[in-house]
Amino acid sequence: MAHIVLVHLRHRLHRSLALVQWLKDDPGQVEDCRVFPMPLQAIVEELLNATKASRSTIRLDSSDALFPVVAEAFAPGTRSIADDDSIDIRRAATFTFLERELRILVQDDCLVGANPPPKELVDIYGVRAQMLAPIVCEANLAGIVSVHHAATPRGWAEQEIAALSRAAERAAAELERAGWKPGSPLPAA
């Protein structure tokens, strides 16, 4: 739990500093300021608890970066992936699947089967099993909710897959409520 709190505080500090800089650079933008709802962080924390996985994240399509992680929760002993922008997820077969199918992808063992994840996800972060759900806005892939399990393959229970589905639906609803559109800059929170 302490890791989740520290990551949450680090993300809030980073986004607060970005907001201050944004307002300093262009104070006329205050009226148009859209802030990501804090429920995105709550969504990944609840999902991590529901799945007992190693990590859960939300990535969003942004003009600022290549599907950056905007919310993350991880178990003790698991490395954060939030600040790693070196993984080109758009080139991954998993991304292609999500963009084409707009449905959940469940991988009990990332080393076998179709739609392999980015090599770095396995080699650097030790991910061996994962579930991915598209965040769909206006019939397009706007983001991805991911659940990673490190070290060993594992099967995913129906209730865990259902929790992932609910998380993606909640994220889409929160983003719509905030007025955020896919491909637009990420607002500071």
Side-chain angles (χ1 to χ4, degrees):
M1 187 61 165
H3 286 286
I4 292 171
V5 171
L6 289 175
V7 168
H8 177 70
L9 291 174
R10 187 185 78 204
H11 284 285
R12 287 204 49 141
L13 176 62
H14 175 73
R15 289 202 164 76
S16 295
L17 292 172
L19 178 60
V20 167
Q21 185 62 47
W22 179 66
L23 291 173
K24 191 171 143 186
D25 292 345
D26 191 357
Q29 295 290 333
V30 174
E31 290 179 17
D32 295 328
C33 182
R34 299 285 166 117
V35 177
F36 274 136
M38 284 312 298
L40 291 184
Q41 184 62 34
I43 290 169
V44 294
E45 291 171 10
E46 291 168 17
L47 185 57
L48 185 69
N49 288 330
T51 60
K52 304 297 184 238
S54 302
R55 177 188 309 106
S56 62
T57 67
I58 293 178
R59 292 177 175 268
L60 295 178
D61 183 10
S62 164
S63 62
D64 298 332
L66 186 63
F67 275 82
V69 173
V70 298
E72 176 183 52
F74 52 91
T78 302
R79 281 181 60 185
S80 172
I81 198 170
D83 295 327
D84 186 348
D85 59 1
S86 69
I87 301 173
D88 187 354
I89 67 165
R90 281 190 177 273
R91 292 184 184 265
T94 49
F95 182 90
T96 303
F97 174 91
L98 290 172
E99 189 172 45
R100 180 184 65 240
E101 301 291 328
L102 295 177
R103 65 182 173 91
I104 291 176
L105 174 62
V106 176
Q107 297 178 305
D108 295 340
D109 187 345
C110 290
L111 299 182
V112 298
N115 306 308
K119 187 175 179 350
E120 300 90 343
L121 194 62
V122 175
D123 293 348
I124 298 170
Y125 295 98
V127 174
R128 285 297 307 273
Q130 69 175 349
M131 298 188 295
L132 305 170
I135 299 172
V136 180
C137 295
E138 300 173 1
N140 292 304
L141 181 64
I144 300 168
V145 180
S146 64
V147 179
H148 300 150
H149 181 74
T152 62
R154 73 170 268 186
W156 300 97
E158 288 300 318
Q159 66 265 23
E160 293 171 321
I161 298 169
L164 174 64
S165 179
R166 286 190 304 275
E169 290 168 4
R170 283 180 56 203
E174 291 296 338
L175 293 168
E176 183 178 330
R177 185 180 64 75
W180 181 81
K181 300 287 184 202
S184 60
L186 298 174

